[in-house]
């Protein structure tokens, strides 16, 4: 039976008991509505450590004004069953009051990396994300934490805060999991209507086609413009389709080692994100040294 705790105190009791017995802890932070992508993170954590903790917390701090926090899918019971099916050891599901009591004041500003791309469109989002991730790391004290490459900018920011604040957690990037038509798995896909879900496959198709053009030596500006046009004609409102340095996320004009193609576009009310490297071989991981 999967053990579920809701307070940091109960969590610490379980983890200190493991640490006393020299067990190692892998951690997967989530906001719930779990899918196969999350379970792949759990399996990766299990391959590295003897115990795995998953947190489910819909973090109000990372929702910006106008984003519907109350409608974010919450399905704790079903999520717990999925975690049990992959033999997760512990679920930490704190309440907002447990995480943010009335005295709570400190926030972590990840700097420039938090203000570009997603951060420019959702100001304050990455401060909220960085704050909760740092807090969860201190509560769980894991040896490794697994993050999906789907939220590529988030992954870079988490690596940066761990480096900057000397948090002793190995960050493990896990490749994107996709549906059969290529759409990256995301809890937000549940917002798509049946028609939109069919249309949505154009996003990864376009991204992979642009990546191929770049690999073939095509002009980056032209390939990106053509990609945006195709998405717009396919019913998307494109926020960005851009080629960046995979670490700094600064735009680049031609493919280079660790280049990353990032895309964000809206389909109806749903905002979809995706990204890919430019290698033809197996997907790169953002931080091969810790993978
Ligand atoms: O990727 C997510 O689900 C969230 O941003 C995270 C890392 C769990 C922090 O709330």
């Amino acid at each position: 039976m999967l053990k579920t705790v809701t307070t940091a105190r109960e969590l610490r009791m379980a983890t200190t008991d493991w640490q006393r017995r020299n067990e190692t802890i892998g951690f997967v932070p989530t906001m719930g509505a779990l899918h196969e992508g999350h379970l792949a993170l759990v399996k990766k954590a299990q391959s590295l450590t003897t115990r795995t903790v998953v947190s489910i917390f819909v973090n109000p701090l990372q929702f910006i004004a106008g984003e519907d926090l109350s409608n974010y899918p919450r399905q704790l019971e079903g999520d717990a069953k999925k975690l049990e099916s992959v033999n997760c050891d512990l679920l930490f599901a704190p309440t907002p009051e447990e995480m943010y009591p009335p005295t709570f004041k400190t926030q972590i500003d990840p700097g420039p990396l938090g203000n570009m791309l997603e951060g420019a469109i959702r100001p304050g989002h990455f401060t909220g994300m960085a704050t909760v991730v740092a807090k969860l790391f201190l509560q769980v004290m894991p040896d490794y934490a697994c993050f999906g490459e789907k939220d590529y900018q988030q992954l870079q920011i988490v690596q940066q805060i761990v480096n900057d604040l000397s948090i002793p957690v190995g960050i493990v990037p896990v490749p994107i999991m996709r549906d059969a038509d290529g759409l990256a798995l995301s809890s937000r896909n549940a917002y798509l209507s049946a028609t939109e879900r069919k249309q949505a496959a154009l996003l990864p198709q376009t991204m992979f086609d642009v990546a191929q053009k770049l690999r073939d030596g095509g002009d980056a500006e032209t390939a990106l413009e053509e990609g945006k046009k195709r998405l717009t004609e396919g019913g998307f409102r494109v926020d960005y389709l851009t080629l960046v340095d995979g670490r700094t996320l600064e735009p680049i004009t031609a493919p280079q080692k660790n280049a990353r193609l990032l895309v964000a576009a809206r389909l109806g009310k749903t905002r979809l994100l995706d990204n890919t490297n430019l290698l033809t071989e197996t997907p790169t991981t953002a931080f091969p040294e810790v993978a």
Side-chain angles (χ1 to χ4, degrees):
M1 220 348 231
L2 172 72
K3 187 175 156 94
T4 303
V5 294
T6 56
T7 66
R9 196 168 168 275
E10 293 167 291
L11 170 73
R12 189 55 60 83
M13 273 161 62
T15 55
T16 43
D17 189 41
W18 291 335
Q19 280 154 345
R20 250 187 245 121
R21 288 189 264 133
N22 284 332
E23 300 218 54
T24 50
I25 300 174
F27 177 46
V28 179
T30 80
M31 298 212 299
L34 303 182
H35 50 68
E36 283 301 319
H38 294 111
L39 301 185
L41 301 179
V42 174
K43 287 174 196 161
K44 180 69 186 176
Q46 286 170 331
S47 73
L48 297 168
T49 57
T50 60
R51 298 285 181 176
T52 303
V53 178
V54 171
S55 65
I56 294 183
F57 178 61
V58 183
N59 175 32
L61 278 191
Q62 70 188 76
F63 285 74
I64 63 159
E67 288 180 346
D68 201 351
L69 170 66
S70 58
N71 270 345
Y72 194 85
R74 287 168 174 84
Q75 35 199 257
L76 194 59
E77 223 174 281
D79 286 345
K81 285 204 180 102
K82 288 181 190 165
L83 293 175
E84 199 168 312
S85 76
V86 293
N87 299 318
C88 170
D89 294 289
L90 185 64
L91 168 60
F92 177 45
T95 59
E97 296 71 33
E98 171 72 14
M99 291 298 274
Y100 303 126
T103 50
F104 184 89
K105 294 282 182 290
T106 305
Q107 300 221 21
I108 295 179
D109 175 358
L113 212 48
N115 297 330
M116 52 175 63
L117 298 162
E118 285 306 287
I121 291 161
R122 305 174 67 196
H125 164 71
F126 284 123
T127 297
M129 184 282 294
T131 303
V132 82
V133 167
K135 180 159 176 138
L136 287 164
F137 282 174
L138 292 169
Q139 290 170 322
V140 178
M141 301 283 261
D143 296 280
Y144 290 101
C146 296
F147 286 81
E149 288 188 334
K150 154 105 186 345
D151 293 308
Y152 191 79
Q153 187 173 4
Q154 166 170 286
L155 172 61
Q156 305 309 311
I157 290 172
V158 169
Q159 183 65 62
Q160 183 195 278
I161 59 172
V162 161
N163 293 347
D164 288 353
L165 303 179
S166 306
I167 302 177
V169 178
I171 303 303
V172 182
V174 178
I176 297 174
M177 285 201 70
R178 299 182 178 280
D179 267 338
D181 64 359
L183 185 67
L185 297 191
S186 164
S187 307
R188 288 176 198 252
N189 294 352
Y191 296 140
L192 296 167
S193 68
T195 317
E196 288 170 344
R197 176 61 194 81
K198 279 190 194 135
Q199 277 174 281
L202 184 67
L203 188 80
Q205 277 159 19
T206 305
M207 179 187 74
F208 286 125
D209 288 349
V210 171
Q212 191 54 49
K213 280 188 191 150
L214 296 173
R215 271 182 217 120
D216 294 344
D219 173 63
E221 204 182 320
T222 313
L224 293 170
E225 279 316 312
E226 283 172 2
K228 282 184 213 164
K229 189 163 172 273
R230 183 173 164 199
L231 287 172
T232 308
E233 285 169 1
F236 284 87
R237 277 172 299 139
V238 181
D239 284 335
Y240 54 82
L241 171 63
T242 182
L243 184 66
V244 298
D245 176 293
R247 289 224 182 213
T248 64
L249 304 189
E250 292 292 347
I252 52 176
T253 50
Q256 63 181 40
K257 196 168 169 252
N258 101 2
R260 202 93 192 175
L261 186 60
L262 306 178
V263 63
R266 291 164 213 255
L267 192 55
K269 291 200 172 105
T270 312
R271 208 157 162 272
L272 299 173
L273 301 186
D274 207 342
N275 68 84
T276 184
N277 61 56
L278 293 185
L279 301 180
T280 44
E281 305 286 329
T282 45
T284 40
T285 52
F287 307 104
E289 63 274 19
V290 289

